[in-house]
Structures are given as structure tokens and as C-alpha cells.
């Protein structure tokens, strides 16, 4: 049993564009450089700094026991309890657009404005239900066969966000100003700088707001496995098993002021059209997108895993594994762009349509690795008495390899432009699809059948699901050869030759996935080709 206490600090100091960015386009003299020399800026962009000193606590306690029932069966039991407090800023420089407490009347709240307790300073409640059981067993079926299984729950500790659109990004703690010129008057004269009163919240442009669930359920994963291990012969082990994982309350980010598909002005179609910033007299309208953070994502993974291992003996070791798996989910990741091309949401009113193959789905993955000390040379099985010159050239070598063969990852087809007229961040337009895109022979010029895709109709979302395309499979062979030269009793000079992508098999990049562009369906790039290197290392 035990306990832990951890203090987390995240001190952010981002000046952004606090000095300002000046633009010169030749509007006043006919030449941009001449405008610069005259000091007549056509535009000036400024933003306030983001500076916070975030603090959080992680407190945990656990108890665990191994119950040896008999000489064949051992049961592992455990329970962990953990609480992570939401981040507080030492000087309460955060805010939240609260559309959770009273969805019909969203409002901006500042840290500490309604009380100095943790909830009103962090604006997010503490999740105190984080119990994590553990259970497992190991059973020796025969002298050469062991069965193992386990189950556990694991909570996410704290949010891995920096100064991206989080609670420190709400105005007036964070805002920007854009000054534009007229036909005859520059936005800013360099000799004067921005005029007094220009860089205030009252002159702010393009304000963005951040919303977060006030009482979120912390993200967690359930993991389980069942394995059978069999000793095949001396130093040889075979393992086959099943592994599963389920993610619950995963964090998603999408537009909380979503403009649904349809005709008309994008901002005018949004459910929230205005927002007052308390204490400033500023009302922003029309209102654009709102960064909304929600713990409503889910994922599920199932995998068949096999492994064959030869422990190092007689100068040889081998490890090979094969995994056959499937991962399904509905999240794109914490960032709006997710982590695969074209990731996003078509219509947040129907998040069920986003449930599909997950971004990291790799159905097949085979890996073989090994090291073999060649039996030639002094002190080895063959050539033990070979001359010193021959031993220096041919004796004492060892070779190794890592061979990988895996399926490619899925990705999304998208439509050029915004036919659905939804707009804002984290939103994608997927095309309509009328057939199997992989019913043709794949080539670099046509990696999939582009004829089955058509742009989605105006003011409508497309029929293509998420992640219906897949990158080419991956094959790689990394090879190494090394030899040790003993130059003294306690010193060895090691020569190494290493070849990455030894066979130079092309690792094609993702094909163009945007309907309506010249590269749609074409592969225009590949990963790094074969790379050879030589090295010397002194070991003493």
C-alpha cells in the first residue's frame, strides 16, 4: 500500500503579438518598400499577452495484494483512488463561457468573481469518483504452459494543454486588435505607433470564446487481456493472447456555436449571436465559433496478439510478433484538427455519424527483430585458430535486423471549399460516395477510384463516413553489422554499419484526399529512402 502527492505547475508566458505586426502593401506610394520607408502602415495587428501561473494537485492512494492460492495459481488484487484538481491561476487570470449551468442563458464568468473556492476559481468541478480496481491472475496449467489475465481502470491525470484555446484564452484576458488603413490615412505611422486607446478591449476584433463542461467526468480507460504462454523448447517461448481497451469520457473539442448546414450568413445561423463581456461594456455581435470542450468521446480496441521469443543463447536471440486488431472511436483528438488528415466533424448535432475506424487503427502489424553473432573467429565455434589478419577482417562479427510490415492508417476524404455552409473550426465537408474506392488496381497516379466521389451538395453534408480511406501499407527492414576490436584489456573499439530501409522499399505518403483538387487520388510523396551510416565507438 502507498500514497503519492504531486504538485503540478504550468507557467505560461506567451507574448503572442504584443509588439504588433505592421503591414505594408504599397497603398500610399505604389511600392511596399517605399511605404515602409515613409512609415505608412496599411495594417497593424496586435494581441495581448497570455501569462498565467497554473497550479494543480494530484493525490493518490493504493492498496495491492498478491494472493498465492497454491503452487499453481496466484491472484493479484488492487485498488487505486486518485483525485486531480483542475488548474487554478495564482492571480485568477482565466475565464469561461458558461453554457453548461444554464444553456438557455450562456454568460462569461471570471475566475474568483463568484467566490474564492476551488470551483469558482478553476470554474471546473473536481471529479472525485476516480476509483481504479485491478484484478489479475497467473495459472500454471502444466510445467510448460502458463495462463495469465488481467483487468484494470486508468484515469487521465491532467489535461495536456498549453496556451491553446483553453480557459486562459477568453477575453478580456486574451484579445486582439486589428487596425486598417483607409484610402488616404495609414493604419499606423511608425514614428507615432498605435494611437492612445487603440489597443483596448473596446477596439478588439475577432473575439473568440472558450466553453468547458463545468462538471466534467474525467477521461478513463479500461484495459483487459488474456494470454497463454507456452515453452516450446529450451529458450523458446510462444505466446498468444487477446487484448482489449475501452476509452470513456474522452475529451473532444468542437464548435459550441455551430452553424448548421443551410443557406444564409454563417454567423447569422448560429444559435448564439451576441455575448457581453462583463465589466467592459463590450458586446460582441455577431458572434463566431466558440471553442467547446466536452468529455463525451469513446473508443474501443480489440486485438489478437502473438509472440515468438528466443532468449539469447549460443550467440542468437529472436523476437517476432504479430498483431491483428481493430480500433473504433468517435474522437479526433484534443486539437480541432485532430491527428489525421481531414479529421473533424460534419454536424455536431449528430456526433453518432463520427463513430468509425479510429485514427490510429492498424489492423495488421508484424515485427521481427534479432541479433546473431556469426560463429566465425577466435573464441567462436568456427575459425578459432584463424590468423590474426583473417580474424580482423572476417571474425567476431554480429548482425542484426528489425523487419516491420504493417497496414497503413485511415484518413478522410474531404470536399474543397465549404458547400454545406457550416464554417468555423473543427468542421469538415466530406463528399458523397457511391461505391468502393478500392475496387481498382492501385497506382501512384490513382491510389483509389476517384470517380466514386462527388462534392456534397450545397447546404448539405456528404454521405462519406469518417476514415474510409487508408494509406498504403508499410514495409521496413533496418539492418546492422558490428565488430569489436579489443585494443587494450579494458578498451574496445566497435565498428558499426547500419542500413535504415535496407531494401529501399518505397513508403508512399498519403494520397491527395480533397475532391476537386488536381492531386485528388494521387500520391505525390514518400518517406525517407534508404540511409546508410558507418560509425566507430570507443568502449572502456
Amino acid at each position: 500500500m502507498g500514497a503519492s502527492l504531486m504538485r503540478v505547475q504550468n507557467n505560461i508566458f506567451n507574448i503572442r503579438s504584443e509588439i504588433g505586426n505592421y503591414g505594408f502593401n504599397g497603398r500610399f506610394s505604389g511600392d511596399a518598400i517605399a511605404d515602409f520607408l515613409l512609415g505608412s502602415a496599411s495594417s497593424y495587428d496586435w494581441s495581448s499577452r497570455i501569462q498565467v501561473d497554473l497550479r494543480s494537485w494530484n493525490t493518490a492512494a493504493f492498496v495491492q495484494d498478491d494472493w498465492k492460492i497454491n503452487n499453481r495459481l496466484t491472484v493479484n488484487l488492487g485498488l487505486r483512488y486518485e483525485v486531480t484538481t483542475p488548474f487554478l491561476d495564482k492571480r485568477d487570470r482565466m475565464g469561461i463561457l458558461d453554457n453548461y449551468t444554464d444553456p438557455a442563458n450562456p454568460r462569461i464568468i471570471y475566475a474568483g468573481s463568484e467566490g474564492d473556492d476551488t470551483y469558482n476559481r478553476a470554474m471546473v468541478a473536481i471529479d472525485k469518483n476516480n476509483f481504479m480496481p485491478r484484478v489479475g491472475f497467473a495459472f500454471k496449467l502444466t510445467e510448460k504452459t502458463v495462463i495469465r489475465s488481467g483487468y484494470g481502470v486508468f484515469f487521465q491525470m491532467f489535461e495536456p494543454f498549453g496556451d491553446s484555446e483553453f480557459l486562459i484564452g477568453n477575453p478580456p484576458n486574451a484579445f486582439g486588435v486589428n487596425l486598417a488603413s483607409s484610402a488616404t490615412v495609414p493604419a499606423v505611422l511608425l514614428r507615432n505607433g498605435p494611437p492612445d486607446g487603440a489597443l483596448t478591449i473596446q477596439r478588439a476584433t475577432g473575439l473568440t470564446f472558450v466553453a468547458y463542461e463545468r462538471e466534467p467526468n474525467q477521461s478513463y480507460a479500461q484495459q483487459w487481456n488474456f494470454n497463454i504462454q507456452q515453452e516450446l523448447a529450451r529458450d523458446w517461448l510462444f505466446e498468444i493472447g487477446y487484448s482489449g481497451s475501452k476509452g470513456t469520457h474522452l475529451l473532444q473539442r468542437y464548435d459550441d456555436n455551430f452553424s448548421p448546414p443551410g443557406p444564409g450568413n454563417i454567423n447569422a445561423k448560429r444559435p448564439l449571436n451576441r455575448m457581453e463581456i462583463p465589466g467592459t461594456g463590450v458586446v460582441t455581435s455577431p458572434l463566431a465559433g466558440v471553442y467547446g470542450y466536452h468529455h463525451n468521446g469513446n473508443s474501443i480496441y480489440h486485438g489478437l496478439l502473438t509472440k515468438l521469443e528466443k532468449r539469447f543463447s549460443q550467440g542468437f536471440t529472436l523476437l517476432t510478433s504479430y498483431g491483428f486488431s481493430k480500433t473504433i472511436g468517435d474522437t479526433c483528438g484534443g486539437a480541432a484538427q485532430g491527428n489525421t488528415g481531414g479529421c473533424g466533424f460534419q454536424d455536431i448535432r449528430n456526433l453518432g455519424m463520427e463513430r468509425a475506424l479510429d485514427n490510429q487503427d492498424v489492423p495488421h502489424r508484424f515485427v521481427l527483430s534479432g541479433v546473431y553473432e556469426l560463429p566465425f573467429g577466435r573464441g567462436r565455434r568456427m575459425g578459432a585458430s584463424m590468423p590474426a589478419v583473417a580474424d580482423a577482417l572476417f571474425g567476431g562479427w554480429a548482425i542484426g535486423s528489425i523487419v516491420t510490415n504493417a497496414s497503413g492508417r485511415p484518413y478522410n476524404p474531404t470536399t474543397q471549399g465549404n458547400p454545406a455552409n457550416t464554417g468555423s473550426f473543427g468542421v469538415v465537408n466530406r463528399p458523397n460516395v457511391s461505391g468502393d474506392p478500392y475496387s481498382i488496381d492501385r497506382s501512384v497516379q490513382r491510389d483509389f477510384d476517384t470517380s466514386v466521389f462527388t462534392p456534397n451538395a450545397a447546404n448539405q453534408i456528404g454521405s462519406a463516413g469518417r476514415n474510409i480511406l487508408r494509406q498504403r501499407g508499410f514495409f521496413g527492414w533496418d539492418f546492422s553489422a558490428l565488430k569489436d576490436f579489443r585494443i587494450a584489456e579494458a578498451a574496445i573499439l566497435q565498428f558499426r554499419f547500419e542500413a535504415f530501409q535496407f531494401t529501399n522499399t518505397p513508403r508512399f505518403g498519403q494520397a491527395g484526399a480533397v475532391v476537386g483538387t488536381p492531386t485528388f487520388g494521387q500520391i505525390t510523396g514518400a518517406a525517407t529512402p534508404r540511409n546508410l551510416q558507418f560509425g566507430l565507438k570507443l568502449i572502456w
Side-chain angles (χ1 to χ4, degrees):
M1 59 189 304
S4 67
L5 180 65
M6 181 168 59
R7 179 68 159 166
V8 182
Q9 297 190 14
N10 188 5
N11 301 315
I12 298 172
F13 179 62
N14 185 349
I15 66 169
R16 301 203 297 171
S17 296
E18 193 176 36
I19 298 174
N21 295 318
Y22 297 83
F24 304 89
N25 62 5
R27 185 171 195 173
F28 304 104
S29 66
D31 183 84
I33 296 298
D35 277 7
F36 167 68
L37 295 175
L38 292 172
S40 300
S42 58
S43 64
Y44 176 78
D45 295 296
W46 175 92
S47 62
S48 63
R49 73 171 64 175
I50 290 181
Q51 182 176 3
V52 288
D53 301 308
L54 302 179
R55 302 291 185 266
S56 175
W57 288 97
N58 176 265
T59 307
F62 74 93
V63 59
Q64 181 175 313
D65 186 40
D66 290 343
W67 180 18
K68 300 184 184 300
I69 297 176
N70 54 43
N71 63 352
R72 288 183 176 271
L73 178 62
T74 299
V75 176
N76 317 108
L77 301 172
L79 179 66
R80 180 180 178 90
Y81 177 71
E82 185 173 288
V83 173
T84 299
T85 62
F87 278 118
L88 299 175
D89 175 40
K90 288 178 61 176
R91 296 172 179 82
D92 292 335
R93 292 164 293 187
M94 296 197 300
I96 187 172
L97 191 156
D98 183 6
N99 57 3
Y100 178 83
T101 305
D102 184 3
N105 298 289
R107 61 194 181 110
I108 294 289
I109 302 175
Y110 300 129
S113 62
E114 299 186 350
D116 60 359
D117 59 315
T118 300
Y119 178 72
N120 285 296
R121 293 188 63 205
M123 293 158 291
V124 176
I126 302 174
D127 187 355
K128 300 179 180 179
N129 299 317
N130 302 337
F131 292 94
M132 292 172 274
R134 311 278 201 271
V135 60
F137 73 86
F139 177 62
K140 185 166 69 173
L141 183 64
T142 69
E143 291 303 315
K144 294 186 176 182
T145 306
V146 175
I147 300 174
R148 304 177 188 273
S149 184
Y151 169 84
V153 177
F154 306 87
F155 277 85
Q156 180 178 341
M157 190 170 64
F158 55 83
E159 302 299 348
F161 286 102
D163 58 354
S164 61
E165 297 76 14
F166 198 47
L167 298 184
I168 62 178
N170 271 309
N173 300 309
F175 66 94
V177 173
N178 172 263
L179 304 179
S181 64
S182 68
T184 57
V185 180
V188 173
L189 293 174
L190 286 183
R191 62 178 179 270
N192 298 330
D196 292 339
L199 307 181
T200 63
I201 186 66
Q202 286 74 21
R203 297 289 300 274
T205 54
L207 291 175
T208 57
F209 298 88
V210 181
Y212 204 103
E213 292 181 13
R214 300 298 303 275
E215 299 179 3
N217 292 298
Q218 201 162 335
S219 304
Y220 71 93
Q222 301 175 72
Q223 298 179 9
W224 57 90
N225 64 78
F226 180 86
N227 298 283
I228 301 175
Q229 296 177 328
Q230 175 70 43
E231 182 183 357
L232 300 178
R234 184 178 179 180
D235 299 325
W236 285 89
L237 176 70
F238 175 73
E239 179 178 334
I240 185 170
Y242 159 73
S243 178
S245 177
K246 185 180 188 304
T248 305
H249 299 308
L250 303 180
L251 184 65
Q252 299 201 90
R253 189 180 81 165
Y254 46 78
D255 188 356
D256 265 14
N257 200 23
F258 177 69
S259 180
N265 180 272
I266 289 178
N267 287 338
K269 295 186 296 164
R270 299 182 185 275
L272 186 61
N273 296 117
R274 66 188 301 275
M275 180 57 58
E276 179 181 355
I277 304 176
T280 66
V282 174
V283 176
T284 179
S285 181
L287 199 64
V290 172
Y291 290 94
Y293 291 84
H294 301 268
H295 288 257
N296 58 0
N298 294 276
S299 68
I300 186 73
Y301 163 86
H302 299 286
L304 171 68
L305 308 176
T306 63
K307 181 176 73 173
L308 178 65
E309 179 181 0
K310 163 71 168 63
R311 296 185 181 91
F312 187 81
S313 62
Q314 300 179 335
F316 176 59
T317 181
L318 176 73
L319 178 63
T320 180
S321 64
Y322 169 71
F324 173 60
S325 64
K326 190 170 188 177
T327 309
I328 296 175
D330 57 12
T331 65
C332 262
Q337 71 275 16
N339 53 13
T340 61
C343 197
F345 303 93
Q346 285 210 98
D347 189 342
I348 68 165
R349 301 170 304 174
N350 184 11
L351 294 177
M353 70 173 65
E354 303 302 322
R355 183 173 174 81
L357 291 177
D358 224 342
N359 300 346
Q360 62 269 24
D361 178 67
V362 179
H364 301 278
R365 182 174 179 86
F366 171 81
V367 180
L368 182 148
S369 62
V371 175
Y372 180 43
E373 293 181 346
L374 299 179
F376 311 109
R378 293 186 173 183
R380 300 193 176 181
R381 296 195 307 273
M382 302 174 63
S385 60
M386 68 171 49
V389 175
D391 182 68
L393 293 175
F394 306 109
W397 284 91
I399 59 174
S401 286
I402 301 176
V403 178
T404 304
N405 193 2
S407 304
R409 293 190 177 188
Y411 64 100
N412 297 279
T414 60
T415 300
Q416 187 177 32
N418 183 19
N421 198 36
T422 49
S424 200
F425 63 88
V427 177
V428 296
N429 277 245
R430 299 194 194 110
N432 293 316
V433 59
S434 59
D436 180 7
Y438 293 111
S439 60
I440 62 170
D441 293 331
R442 302 174 74 174
S443 66
V444 173
Q445 292 75 27
R446 197 181 186 205
D447 190 52
F448 53 84
D449 187 357
T450 58
S451 66
V452 303
F453 294 102
T454 55
N456 53 308
N459 305 315
Q460 296 180 17
I461 61 174
S463 63
R466 186 169 74 97
N467 284 341
I468 64 172
L469 297 177
R470 188 176 291 276
Q471 299 175 13
R472 294 287 187 96
F474 165 82
F475 176 82
W477 180 11
D478 298 335
F479 174 81
S480 67
L482 63 91
K483 177 177 171 58
D484 292 337
F485 297 89
R486 185 168 294 279
I487 57 178
E489 182 177 355
I492 295 175
L493 184 65
Q494 185 181 89
F495 168 79
R496 299 183 66 91
F497 164 71
E498 294 170 319
F500 302 96
Q501 294 302 117
F502 188 45
T503 58
N504 208 27
T505 304
R507 295 175 293 161
F508 292 114
Q510 178 179 302
V514 183
V515 178
T517 60
T519 59
F520 182 54
Q522 298 179 15
I523 297 177
T524 58
T528 307
R530 180 170 49 214
N531 186 2
L532 308 178
Q533 66 183 33
F534 301 86
L536 287 174
K537 181 167 64 173
L538 180 63
I539 305 171
W540 75 94

